Amino acid sequence: MNSFSELNLNKQILNALDEAGYEKPTPIQEKAIPQVLSGQDILGIAQTGTGKTAAFLLPILMKIKYAQGDQPRVLILEPTRELAIQVEKECEKYCKYLDIRFLAVYGGVGPKTQIEEVEKGLDIVIATPGRLMDLYRNLTLSLNSLQVMIIDEADRMMQMGFLPQIHQLLEVIPRKRQNLLFSATMPPPVKELTAEFLEFPVEIEVTPQATPAETVKQIQFQVPNLKTKINLLEKLLKDEIYSKVIVFTRSKSTADNVFKYLERKVEGNIRVIHSNKGQNSRINAINQFKEGEVRVLVSTDVTARGIDVAKVSHVINFDVPIQYEDYVHRIGRTGRAFHTGEAISLVNEAEQYHIRKIEELIRMSIEVVDLPEGLDISPTPKEEAIQIARQIDHQKRKEDPTFKGAFQEKKKRPSKNSKSFNKGGNKSKRKKR
Ligand code: ADP
Ligand code: MG
């Protein structure tokens, strides 16, 4: 399809798209828009950066037409505050010539302004689940008039952390409604849960779930230890082609440490973002990065999903995500909207296992590239070597339960008092991820 005009959108929307510089619909837009217009429930799967937001927003704007009543008719759920804000901005772009009221509500900031805005009346509410339910419970926001519910990043929203809130929500919104679920990833066990949200859905799979964006070149470096990863990162960032970079880490503390190191050693502005940072600092960091004032953004997986920054040159996985879908989302921060980008993973010996699992998930192999010449390869400290060996043992045991590794799990001896507190005192608890 060569033009949006074939999609039964009105003139106001077509003008807005024209001004946004959109020339033709992406495959998910081409396929989803007619189905949403016809009232179907939809499960839409398409790669990162291929315009899923417009795929649900444009037909929704067509359907609700203009401002009406005070209560929202459309709810869009997003997993993070940054995404809620981003989708609000997209909405603004497409609504330029429409009389439609929309608002993002999210936590981390005081509710006062959001309450005042909701009270003015709105047509579309874009929300993170926690704040949405708060505004519902304190009677600021009525959900009785909802006609459409959209769950963006749907597989994420159906994970443990969000599911209880989503269930509470389902109990209070009208049963008769249209439901749209979108994501780039949808692990089969999570997909089963979608039955609860969708009625006779049309499944639109532009590519199988977890297909990385074609526009992203993926490579990996095999690196012996943490210090060498730092050396490598520093060396890479000496090159100016690394113009707009996101460095992902699994933990907040690694993010902070990498940030502190780079801030001292690398040209250009660096920011760090994770869930312990205040909301204003998070939003400022993203905005400055979007505007090109920040060269390197160091981040945990809070920004792995959905965040749309134009022309990110490189994504660097300082460590390998162990929630494998996150790999697809992390690298999908580059190569968006017809641009290209590069994703580089720094992989130690224990992480090679996870890279193999990721390669299975994405059904492709990630090219191993030689370490650059002159890289300072630091020796592995004893403790780190033990930790890596333990992880490898653990992985081997997982694959083969009869495997006897060098590091048998030590049986914890119950401490003297533990029994009085807890009968199963020596049972080690599995950490929730
Ligand atoms: P996804 O949700 O699939 O990851 P987004 O909806 O965030 O992708 O869109 C990625 C980028 O592509 C955004 O900047 C968006 O404005 C832009 N975009 C969306 N559709 C088109 C289009 N048809 N032509 C050009 N750019 C588009
Ligand atoms: Mg998206």
Side-chain angles (χ1 to χ4, degrees), residues 206-232:
V206 171
T207 45
Q209 71 98 6
T211 304
E214 288 147 35
T215 42
V216 183
K217 178 174 184 230
Q218 304 169 59
I219 63 165
Q220 56 171 316
F221 287 110
Q222 300 193 337
V223 190
N225 52 47
L226 191 73
K227 182 63 177 71
T228 312
K229 283 190 178 184
I230 290 273
N231 298 344
L232 176 57

mmCIF file of all heavy atoms in Angstrom, residues 206-232:
data_model
loop_
_atom_site.group_PDB
_atom_site.id
_atom_site.type_symbol
_atom_site.label_atom_id
_atom_site.label_comp_id
_atom_site.label_asym_id
_atom_site.label_seq_id
_atom_site.Cartn_x
_atom_site.Cartn_y
_atom_site.Cartn_z
ATOM 1 N N VAL A 206 2.683 -9.394 11.845
ATOM 2 C CA VAL A 206 3.440 -8.923 10.684
ATOM 3 C C VAL A 206 4.679 -9.799 10.524
ATOM 4 O O VAL A 206 5.056 -10.175 9.422
ATOM 5 C CB VAL A 206 3.831 -7.447 10.869
ATOM 6 C CG1 VAL A 206 4.809 -7.003 9.786
ATOM 7 C CG2 VAL A 206 2.587 -6.578 10.824
ATOM 8 N N THR A 207 5.308 -10.098 11.658
ATOM 9 C CA THR A 207 6.412 -11.058 11.703
ATOM 10 C C THR A 207 6.179 -11.879 12.956
ATOM 11 O O THR A 207 5.497 -11.412 13.871
ATOM 12 C CB THR A 207 7.772 -10.351 11.838
ATOM 13 O OG1 THR A 207 7.639 -9.342 12.843
ATOM 14 C CG2 THR A 207 8.222 -9.712 10.547
ATOM 15 N N PRO A 208 6.758 -13.092 13.045
ATOM 16 C CA PRO A 208 6.576 -13.853 14.279
ATOM 17 C C PRO A 208 7.054 -13.038 15.476
ATOM 18 O O PRO A 208 7.962 -12.211 15.336
ATOM 19 C CB PRO A 208 7.479 -15.075 14.070
ATOM 20 C CG PRO A 208 7.683 -15.179 12.609
ATOM 21 C CD PRO A 208 7.587 -13.791 12.060
ATOM 22 N N GLN A 209 6.456 -13.278 16.635
ATOM 23 C CA GLN A 209 6.838 -12.510 17.820
ATOM 24 C C GLN A 209 8.348 -12.619 18.045
ATOM 25 O O GLN A 209 8.968 -13.606 17.669
ATOM 26 C CB GLN A 209 6.042 -12.986 19.038
ATOM 27 C CG GLN A 209 6.417 -14.367 19.572
ATOM 28 C CD GLN A 209 7.362 -14.289 20.765
ATOM 29 O OE1 GLN A 209 7.667 -13.225 21.272
ATOM 30 N NE2 GLN A 209 7.831 -15.450 21.217
ATOM 31 N N ALA A 210 8.909 -11.574 18.646
ATOM 32 C CA ALA A 210 10.343 -11.532 18.990
ATOM 33 C C ALA A 210 11.268 -11.502 17.766
ATOM 34 O O ALA A 210 12.428 -11.850 17.849
ATOM 35 C CB ALA A 210 10.740 -12.686 19.911
ATOM 36 N N THR A 211 10.741 -11.073 16.641
ATOM 37 C CA THR A 211 11.618 -10.838 15.489
ATOM 38 C C THR A 211 12.252 -9.456 15.651
ATOM 39 O O THR A 211 11.544 -8.471 15.779
ATOM 40 C CB THR A 211 10.810 -10.857 14.165
ATOM 41 O OG1 THR A 211 10.121 -12.099 14.067
ATOM 42 C CG2 THR A 211 11.723 -10.670 12.961
ATOM 43 N N PRO A 212 13.584 -9.394 15.674
ATOM 44 C CA PRO A 212 14.199 -8.070 15.818
ATOM 45 C C PRO A 212 13.936 -7.219 14.586
ATOM 46 O O PRO A 212 13.755 -7.748 13.489
ATOM 47 C CB PRO A 212 15.698 -8.386 15.930
ATOM 48 C CG PRO A 212 15.785 -9.824 16.273
ATOM 49 C CD PRO A 212 14.586 -10.467 15.654
ATOM 50 N N ALA A 213 13.932 -5.912 14.772
ATOM 51 C CA ALA A 213 13.759 -5.015 13.633
ATOM 52 C C ALA A 213 14.879 -5.286 12.632
ATOM 53 O O ALA A 213 16.037 -5.430 13.006
ATOM 54 C CB ALA A 213 13.805 -3.566 14.109
ATOM 55 N N GLU A 214 14.497 -5.359 11.347
ATOM 56 C CA GLU A 214 15.500 -5.676 10.314
ATOM 57 C C GLU A 214 16.553 -4.587 10.195
ATOM 58 O O GLU A 214 17.650 -4.814 9.674
ATOM 59 C CB GLU A 214 14.824 -5.784 8.941
ATOM 60 C CG GLU A 214 13.973 -7.011 8.761
ATOM 61 C CD GLU A 214 12.762 -6.741 7.870
ATOM 62 O OE1 GLU A 214 12.883 -5.945 6.914
ATOM 63 O OE2 GLU A 214 11.703 -7.329 8.149
ATOM 64 N N THR A 215 16.199 -3.418 10.645
ATOM 65 C CA THR A 215 17.074 -2.255 10.488
ATOM 66 C C THR A 215 18.197 -2.203 11.526
ATOM 67 O O THR A 215 18.995 -1.284 11.517
ATOM 68 C CB THR A 215 16.215 -0.990 10.623
ATOM 69 O OG1 THR A 215 15.311 -1.219 11.714
ATOM 70 C CG2 THR A 215 15.422 -0.713 9.381
ATOM 71 N N VAL A 216 18.231 -3.193 12.418
ATOM 72 C CA VAL A 216 19.265 -3.186 13.465
ATOM 73 C C VAL A 216 20.332 -4.234 13.163
ATOM 74 O O VAL A 216 20.034 -5.421 13.027
ATOM 75 C CB VAL A 216 18.654 -3.488 14.853
ATOM 76 C CG1 VAL A 216 19.741 -3.402 15.931
ATOM 77 C CG2 VAL A 216 17.514 -2.544 15.169
ATOM 78 N N LYS A 217 21.578 -3.778 13.064
ATOM 79 C CA LYS A 217 22.684 -4.717 12.901
ATOM 80 C C LYS A 217 23.127 -5.164 14.295
ATOM 81 O O LYS A 217 23.348 -4.341 15.177
ATOM 82 C CB LYS A 217 23.829 -4.007 12.173
ATOM 83 C CG LYS A 217 25.035 -4.900 12.005
ATOM 84 C CD LYS A 217 26.125 -4.258 11.167
ATOM 85 C CE LYS A 217 27.232 -5.280 10.997
ATOM 86 N NZ LYS A 217 28.548 -4.761 11.310
ATOM 87 N N GLN A 218 23.239 -6.490 14.472
ATOM 88 C CA GLN A 218 23.580 -6.988 15.810
ATOM 89 C C GLN A 218 24.955 -7.644 15.820
ATOM 90 O O GLN A 218 25.233 -8.494 14.993
ATOM 91 C CB GLN A 218 22.567 -8.049 16.246
ATOM 92 C CG GLN A 218 21.126 -7.596 16.228
ATOM 93 C CD GLN A 218 20.192 -8.768 16.420
ATOM 94 O OE1 GLN A 218 20.265 -9.461 17.429
ATOM 95 N NE2 GLN A 218 19.327 -9.002 15.453
ATOM 96 N N ILE A 219 25.775 -7.256 16.797
ATOM 97 C CA ILE A 219 27.057 -7.945 16.986
ATOM 98 C C ILE A 219 27.290 -8.197 18.473
ATOM 99 O O ILE A 219 26.599 -7.634 19.324
ATOM 100 C CB ILE A 219 28.254 -7.154 16.408
ATOM 101 C CG1 ILE A 219 28.413 -5.808 17.137
ATOM 102 C CG2 ILE A 219 28.114 -6.930 14.920
ATOM 103 C CD1 ILE A 219 29.766 -5.161 16.864
ATOM 104 N N GLN A 220 28.258 -9.064 18.770
ATOM 105 C CA GLN A 220 28.633 -9.263 20.168
ATOM 106 C C GLN A 220 30.157 -9.292 20.299
ATOM 107 O O GLN A 220 30.868 -9.728 19.408
ATOM 108 C CB GLN A 220 28.029 -10.563 20.721
ATOM 109 C CG GLN A 220 28.392 -11.804 19.920
ATOM 110 C CD GLN A 220 27.960 -13.094 20.623
ATOM 111 O OE1 GLN A 220 28.139 -13.255 21.826
ATOM 112 N NE2 GLN A 220 27.383 -14.011 19.851
ATOM 113 N N PHE A 221 30.623 -8.812 21.444
ATOM 114 C CA PHE A 221 32.020 -8.962 21.833
ATOM 115 C C PHE A 221 32.072 -9.923 23.004
ATOM 116 O O PHE A 221 31.282 -9.792 23.934
ATOM 117 C CB PHE A 221 32.608 -7.625 22.300
ATOM 118 C CG PHE A 221 32.859 -6.635 21.204
ATOM 119 C CD1 PHE A 221 32.073 -5.492 21.101
ATOM 120 C CD2 PHE A 221 33.895 -6.815 20.293
ATOM 121 C CE1 PHE A 221 32.320 -4.550 20.101
ATOM 122 C CE2 PHE A 221 34.133 -5.882 19.291
ATOM 123 C CZ PHE A 221 33.343 -4.744 19.195
ATOM 124 N N GLN A 222 33.004 -10.870 22.972
ATOM 125 C CA GLN A 222 33.162 -11.750 24.116
ATOM 126 C C GLN A 222 34.266 -11.178 25.002
ATOM 127 O O GLN A 222 35.404 -11.008 24.566
ATOM 128 C CB GLN A 222 33.421 -13.169 23.643
ATOM 129 C CG GLN A 222 32.216 -13.620 22.797
ATOM 130 C CD GLN A 222 32.159 -15.091 22.495
ATOM 131 O OE1 GLN A 222 33.166 -15.789 22.520
ATOM 132 N NE2 GLN A 222 30.960 -15.585 22.210
ATOM 133 N N VAL A 223 33.888 -10.851 26.208
ATOM 134 C CA VAL A 223 34.739 -10.063 27.095
ATOM 135 C C VAL A 223 34.899 -10.825 28.411
ATOM 136 O O VAL A 223 33.909 -11.302 28.957
ATOM 137 C CB VAL A 223 34.080 -8.686 27.367
ATOM 138 C CG1 VAL A 223 35.042 -7.762 28.078
ATOM 139 C CG2 VAL A 223 33.580 -8.057 26.083
ATOM 140 N N PRO A 224 36.141 -10.948 28.936
ATOM 141 C CA PRO A 224 36.331 -11.827 30.084
ATOM 142 C C PRO A 224 35.707 -11.339 31.392
ATOM 143 O O PRO A 224 35.290 -12.153 32.212
ATOM 144 C CB PRO A 224 37.856 -11.913 30.234
ATOM 145 C CG PRO A 224 38.388 -10.719 29.519
ATOM 146 C CD PRO A 224 37.413 -10.425 28.419
ATOM 147 N N ASN A 225 35.655 -10.043 31.618
ATOM 148 C CA ASN A 225 35.220 -9.582 32.941
ATOM 149 C C ASN A 225 34.700 -8.150 32.890
ATOM 150 O O ASN A 225 34.778 -7.471 31.868
ATOM 151 C CB ASN A 225 36.384 -9.691 33.940
ATOM 152 C CG ASN A 225 37.615 -9.003 33.376
ATOM 153 O OD1 ASN A 225 37.536 -7.881 32.883
ATOM 154 N ND2 ASN A 225 38.748 -9.701 33.403
ATOM 155 N N LEU A 226 34.214 -7.735 34.048
ATOM 156 C CA LEU A 226 33.577 -6.431 34.175
ATOM 157 C C LEU A 226 34.510 -5.277 33.821
ATOM 158 O O LEU A 226 34.142 -4.363 33.080
ATOM 159 C CB LEU A 226 33.106 -6.294 35.630
ATOM 160 C CG LEU A 226 32.194 -5.129 35.927
ATOM 161 C CD1 LEU A 226 30.822 -5.397 35.354
ATOM 162 C CD2 LEU A 226 32.102 -4.903 37.429
ATOM 163 N N LYS A 227 35.724 -5.342 34.354
ATOM 164 C CA LYS A 227 36.641 -4.215 34.115
ATOM 165 C C LYS A 227 36.961 -4.093 32.633
ATOM 166 O O LYS A 227 37.027 -2.984 32.092
ATOM 167 C CB LYS A 227 37.935 -4.433 34.946
ATOM 168 C CG LYS A 227 38.939 -3.301 34.825
ATOM 169 C CD LYS A 227 38.359 -1.993 35.379
ATOM 170 C CE LYS A 227 39.311 -0.811 35.366
ATOM 171 N NZ LYS A 227 39.636 -0.255 34.082
ATOM 172 N N THR A 228 37.114 -5.230 31.975
ATOM 173 C CA THR A 228 37.395 -5.180 30.536
ATOM 174 C C THR A 228 36.181 -4.653 29.769
ATOM 175 O O THR A 228 36.318 -3.951 28.763
ATOM 176 C CB THR A 228 37.836 -6.574 30.020
ATOM 177 O OG1 THR A 228 38.839 -7.088 30.892
ATOM 178 C CG2 THR A 228 38.399 -6.490 28.618
ATOM 179 N N LYS A 229 34.984 -4.976 30.262
ATOM 180 C CA LYS A 229 33.785 -4.396 29.634
ATOM 181 C C LYS A 229 33.834 -2.872 29.709
ATOM 182 O O LYS A 229 33.519 -2.178 28.744
ATOM 183 C CB LYS A 229 32.520 -4.893 30.343
ATOM 184 C CG LYS A 229 32.113 -6.311 29.988
ATOM 185 C CD LYS A 229 30.727 -6.603 30.548
ATOM 186 C CE LYS A 229 30.265 -8.007 30.164
ATOM 187 N NZ LYS A 229 28.887 -8.275 30.611
ATOM 188 N N ILE A 230 34.229 -2.380 30.887
ATOM 189 C CA ILE A 230 34.331 -0.923 31.063
ATOM 190 C C ILE A 230 35.373 -0.345 30.102
ATOM 191 O O ILE A 230 35.132 0.665 29.433
ATOM 192 C CB ILE A 230 34.736 -0.594 32.529
ATOM 193 C CG1 ILE A 230 33.581 -0.903 33.484
ATOM 194 C CG2 ILE A 230 35.200 0.843 32.669
ATOM 195 C CD1 ILE A 230 32.604 0.236 33.639
ATOM 196 N N ASN A 231 36.523 -1.018 30.028
ATOM 197 C CA ASN A 231 37.581 -0.544 29.118
ATOM 198 C C ASN A 231 37.078 -0.509 27.676
ATOM 199 O O ASN A 231 37.338 0.436 26.933
ATOM 200 C CB ASN A 231 38.812 -1.472 29.174
ATOM 201 C CG ASN A 231 39.435 -1.513 30.562
ATOM 202 O OD1 ASN A 231 39.159 -0.653 31.400
ATOM 203 N ND2 ASN A 231 40.254 -2.528 30.819
ATOM 204 N N LEU A 232 36.354 -1.553 27.308
ATOM 205 C CA LEU A 232 35.857 -1.653 25.936
ATOM 206 C C LEU A 232 34.838 -0.545 25.656
ATOM 207 O O LEU A 232 34.882 0.114 24.613
ATOM 208 C CB LEU A 232 35.228 -3.043 25.710
ATOM 209 C CG LEU A 232 34.570 -3.298 24.357
ATOM 210 C CD1 LEU A 232 35.544 -3.076 23.192
ATOM 211 C CD2 LEU A 232 34.006 -4.713 24.278
#
